[in-house]
Amino acid sequence: MGFRTVLVLLLLAGGLFAALWFTDRKPPVERVAETAVLDGRSLLECKTMVWHQRDRLPIEIGRLPDGRFALQEPIADVASAAYLRNIVTTWDSAQMQRTPIEADAEGLARTGLAAPELRFTAEWPDGHRIEIAIGEAGALGEARFLLRDGLVWEGGEGLYESLQVGIDDLRERVVFRNSPVEVRELRVEQQQKTGKRESLHLVLDGTEWRLKQPVEGRADPVAAQRFVTAVASLRVDDFIPGQVRYPDRQPDVVVEVRGTRGEETVRLWDEGGALFGRLP
């Protein structure tokens, strides 16, 4: 093969590579008529997300050391996986369309973006940050005006509605991360009226539950599974408002769960027949 032929092939290959590279490049948000609200990213992978609705306290969600999402403002608590799933699904799939409205004083006033209904910010570990202001509903009430990167867009009403949740709704009500089928060991220690503490300790040996306390032996499979399911399915009924002071005594009930998701311990106190404590 001659030098000229090789050179022509190299030029063709280089041109093909350049065409593919430029085709694969994602155009900047400012230059497209429709694009993903989050640039194709997922809130599941973000480091923090903050939203501030007008006349309300801002809500900030970050990460715990184990990777779970947690409320950081206005209170510190584990975040509800169920409510966050709805927010993540809505925002991850959302698209927005460019409008001909200029982002000047007149345009922002027309769209309610001069004083937005809500401001949303998400930041990822690589430093990428997206800030979006949500204004008034569109003419048909099915969309909201958005301000991003200095441009006015339209996005679905779901973006606004998904963030209409109260603080208590965003707090996790599931006590244990280990679901009943993930539990491999369960120990419940309870204070008796006599002052004596008694324990019920179950360990899964293969497919069979065995008692370790108060006696050792094989546990009734149906009763053991029902007990494990009942404990591992515990949920919070109500959140105590304000600063909680724990009694200056041993907890009335201590529950230790070991399973696929690690070890979890809950200490509970009995006040007037109601148990209270803190999520693990």
Side-chain angles (χ1 to χ4, degrees):
M1 184 180 292
F3 175 74
R4 185 188 298 272
T5 305
V6 174
L7 181 60
V8 170
L9 288 175
L10 287 174
L11 289 174
L12 287 173
L16 178 61
F17 173 78
L20 289 172
W21 186 74
F22 281 113
T23 301
D24 189 58
R25 287 185 66 192
K26 190 173 183 179
V29 172
E30 298 87 348
R31 298 182 183 178
V32 296
E34 181 173 351
T35 187
V37 171
L38 298 179
D39 294 342
R41 291 175 176 251
S42 174
L43 290 180
L44 276 178
E45 300 166 353
C46 76
K47 181 174 66 174
T48 59
M49 61 179 98
V50 181
W51 62 90
H52 189 185
Q53 189 163 350
R54 192 168 57 194
D55 302 327
R56 293 188 187 179
L57 291 172
I59 294 175
E60 180 176 349
I61 293 178
R63 296 276 189 177
L64 291 172
D66 62 8
R68 285 183 295 166
F69 281 113
L71 279 160
Q72 295 180 336
E73 293 291 345
I75 60 172
D77 201 354
V78 179
S80 167
Y83 270 93
L84 284 182
R85 190 179 301 115
N86 177 53
I87 294 172
V88 169
T89 300
T90 301
W91 282 77
D92 281 10
S93 61
Q95 297 284 314
M96 58 184 184
Q97 298 79 36
R98 278 286 304 276
T99 73
I101 302 172
E102 295 292 332
D104 53 19
E106 181 184 353
L108 296 180
R110 283 175 53 197
T111 56
L113 290 166
E117 295 282 339
L118 186 146
R119 295 182 184 274
F120 180 86
T121 303
E123 187 172 347
W124 283 262
D126 63 0
H128 189 76
R129 182 183 177 93
I130 292 177
E131 297 181 10
I132 296 177
I134 301 179
E136 295 178 354
L140 300 178
E142 298 177 355
R144 286 270 176 172
F145 288 110
L146 311 174
L147 180 66
R148 186 189 157 188
D149 300 318
L151 298 172
V152 178
W153 305 75
E154 269 193 334
E157 175 71 15
L159 293 171
Y160 179 78
E161 291 297 330
S162 67
L163 301 177
Q164 302 307 298
V165 293
I167 294 298
D168 282 354
D169 294 326
L170 284 169
R171 300 173 73 176
E172 183 60 86
R173 291 181 179 270
V174 176
V175 175
F176 297 104
R177 286 179 294 150
N178 285 293
S179 67
V181 296
E182 294 173 318
V183 176
R184 296 293 176 266
E185 185 174 354
L186 172 64
R187 181 174 177 272
V188 180
E189 180 185 281
Q190 189 168 3
Q191 177 87 25
Q192 302 299 314
K193 291 182 179 180
T194 60
K196 183 181 178 182
R197 301 187 73 85
E198 293 185 356
S199 297
L200 177 62
H201 189 180
L202 288 166
V203 176
L204 188 62
D205 184 9
T207 59
E208 181 181 76
W209 284 105
R210 296 192 66 82
L211 272 170
K212 294 294 183 180
Q213 288 179 298
V215 295
E216 286 204 39
R218 199 172 78 179
D220 178 88
V222 176
Q225 191 59 58
R226 284 178 178 173
F227 182 70
V228 170
T229 300
V231 174
S233 302
L234 285 174
R235 292 178 61 85
V236 176
D237 289 328
D238 297 294
F239 292 105
I240 301 174
Q243 189 72 23
V244 178
R245 292 184 179 275
Y246 295 101
D248 188 20
R249 68 173 193 271
Q250 281 191 309
D252 297 295
V253 180
V254 178
V255 183
E256 297 175 354
V257 173
R258 294 180 181 88
T260 307
R261 298 177 185 269
E263 182 176 338
E264 302 173 274
T265 301
V266 173
R267 295 171 176 82
L268 302 168
W269 286 264
D270 189 341
E271 289 291 336
L275 292 173
F276 75 95
R278 185 173 181 177
L279 292 179

